[in-house]
Amino acid sequence: MSDRYSLPWSMVTPKSVYLNRRRLLASLLAMPGLAMAGQKLENIRKTGYGQGEKLTPYDAVTGYNNFYEFGTGKEDPARNAKNFRTRPWTVRVDGEVLKPRTFDIDEVLRLAPLEERIYRHRCVEGWSMVVPWIGFPLAELLKRVEPNSNARFVAFESYYDPRQMPQAAWAGIPFPYVEGLRLDEAMHPLALLVCGLYGEVLPNQNGAPLRLIVPWKYGFKGIKSIVRIRLVKSQPPTTWNLANAREYGFYSNVNPQVDHPRWSQAKERRIGEFFKRDTLLFNGYGNEVAQLYEGMDLRKYY
Ligand SMILES: Nc1nc2c(c(=O)[nH]1)N[C@H]1C(S)=C(S)[C@@H](COP(=O)(O)O)O[C@H]1N2
Ligand SMILES: [Mo]
């Protein structure tokens, strides 16, 4: 608390009462969740992404989630992540880099100007949304640690604490959740580190305090609540591939022509709409990203 506030109280209250108030306020502010929940983010630069798309309502974006650490039901994460502690929080960035570092989360959030980007968000299960994310390009963080010439992939790891996430025991996938990108995918300007949505701090169920969004890939590549990012030489393991390699590959680019073994990917249901839409190759971001996959057989590298 600043003295601007404490000074007047100190003048009108006995010292012991005033000290107790200070202590109470300090402990309230230190109380995780309380300080951040619903907090508005200021000075967000608007961008041209997603102009003309109809936003998915806030209640659906924050009430219909996949976050298996907090349960496998779509409404579980909003309920079970309510008191998840996102402060203090650090993000370790190391591996094949010249300047490995442990960043405090609040340092990470000041690395680059925050932008709002409206992206289509397509889950491998067949639903999609349009979300006004707030964040900055992943490349901005990676550049800070100076990848060396061995770095070819980026490995991400989520926070995992069975005491805060007791529902994880029944999820049927291994934890901590891990994901990966090829370095050129990770450096692509569309790949975003996200700390907010709809103008406010990211709700816990959406992956607070920091998650990845790779809009041309299925949603599961967008790993939540990141604590570690490692630059590595070879393709890292990914959670859904570990759980079921036949159904989930490393690349996981949105592709209407490569079906999931148990269902078609040709169509999708935009949350809130009645009729299905056609799934778009690379989720409609092909002009920007297709060159990353030139000459690759997208059926083989699914
Ligand atoms: N750590 C972690 N990250 C995760 C998941 C998860 O279960 N655990 N689910 C993924 C899946 S399948 C999707 S579709 C998106 C959902 O993000 P949203 O809830 O913000 O829409 O998060 C992804 N990131
Ligand atoms: Mo998903």
Side-chain angles (χ1 to χ4, degrees):
M1 281 304 286
S2 83
D3 289 319
R4 191 152 58 90
Y5 295 107
S6 53
L7 192 66
W9 296 332
S10 72
M11 289 174 0
V12 297
T13 42
K15 187 148 196 188
S16 62
V17 174
Y18 145 73
L19 283 176
N20 278 333
R21 275 194 197 160
R22 271 195 75 119
R23 243 174 253 136
L24 176 66
L25 276 168
S27 62
L28 278 173
L29 283 174
M31 218 143 129
L34 263 187
M36 303 300 286
Q39 197 175 298
K40 287 277 163 242
L41 286 165
E42 306 293 341
N43 303 318
I44 308 304
R45 194 208 296 159
K46 299 271 177 191
T47 62
Y49 296 96
Q51 292 306 309
E53 297 271 8
K54 190 170 173 290
L55 299 184
T56 301
Y58 177 90
D59 288 347
V61 172
T62 60
Y64 186 88
N65 303 103
N66 276 334
F67 198 167
Y68 273 30
E69 288 87 332
F70 292 106
T72 56
K74 296 285 184 267
E75 293 171 5
D76 290 346
R79 189 173 51 242
N80 297 333
K82 255 198 198 84
N83 299 317
F84 179 50
R85 279 177 232 187
T86 60
R87 294 292 186 289
W89 191 281
T90 58
V91 182
R92 174 76 186 159
V93 190
D94 61 4
E96 299 290 347
V97 301
L98 299 179
K99 298 187 169 159
R101 260 186 74 182
T102 302
F103 294 89
D104 185 81
I105 185 64
D106 294 304
E107 268 180 273
V108 174
L109 302 187
R110 283 191 302 265
L111 279 182
L114 297 183
E115 304 173 14
E116 178 178 85
R117 296 209 190 169
I118 296 166
Y119 279 168
R120 292 178 291 277
H121 180 46
R122 171 61 156 84
C123 178
V124 73
E125 294 164 0
W127 52 265
S128 67
M129 299 190 188
V130 176
V131 183
W133 302 113
I134 293 169
F136 63 91
L138 169 61
E140 293 289 338
L141 175 67
L142 298 181
K143 279 190 269 176
R144 294 299 194 292
V145 295
E146 300 181 22
N148 69 30
S149 59
N150 290 325
R152 288 190 52 232
F153 292 86
V154 186
F156 303 85
E157 189 178 310
S158 289
Y159 183 84
Y160 179 53
D161 174 5
R163 282 164 306 173
Q164 283 201 74
M165 300 159 160
Q167 297 85 5
W170 292 275
I173 59 174
F175 295 109
Y177 195 98
V178 289
E179 256 304 335
L181 294 171
R182 228 170 46 196
L183 183 58
D184 58 343
E185 296 179 315
M187 297 298 286
H188 194 283
L190 284 176
L192 215 60
L193 280 175
V194 165
C195 62
L197 56 76
Y198 266 107
E200 65 177 54
V201 169
L202 196 62
N204 292 343
Q205 59 269 34
N206 293 92
L210 190 73
R211 61 93 57 90
L212 178 68
I213 284 290
V214 192
W216 68 96
K217 294 177 180 283
Y218 292 116
F220 65 83
K221 299 296 285 184
I223 183 171
K224 293 177 167 179
S225 305
I226 296 168
V227 291
R228 187 157 185 215
I229 300 176
R230 226 160 6 104
L231 286 279
V232 293
K233 287 181 191 158
S234 43
Q235 185 177 301
T238 63
T239 291
W240 282 100
N241 182 256
L242 290 171
N244 192 334
R246 203 174 71 89
E247 298 188 1
Y248 307 103
F250 177 79
Y251 283 91
S252 307
N253 291 316
V254 175
N255 191 333
Q257 301 188 49
V258 178
D259 288 335
H260 186 281
R262 291 185 280 128
W263 59 82
S264 165
Q265 293 291 22
K267 300 247 174 206
E268 67 190 49
R269 169 122 33 227
R270 182 69 52 88
I271 298 294
E273 291 182 356
F274 181 75
F275 292 105
K276 287 193 174 182
R277 293 173 172 248
D278 290 338
T279 298
L280 304 174
L281 179 60
F282 299 120
N283 205 20
Y285 298 98
N287 285 343
E288 288 96 321
V289 304
Q291 93 275 357
L292 292 170
Y293 309 102
E294 236 161 40
M296 281 175 68
D297 178 353
L298 297 176
R299 287 179 188 283
K300 182 167 176 224
Y301 298 102
Y302 58 97

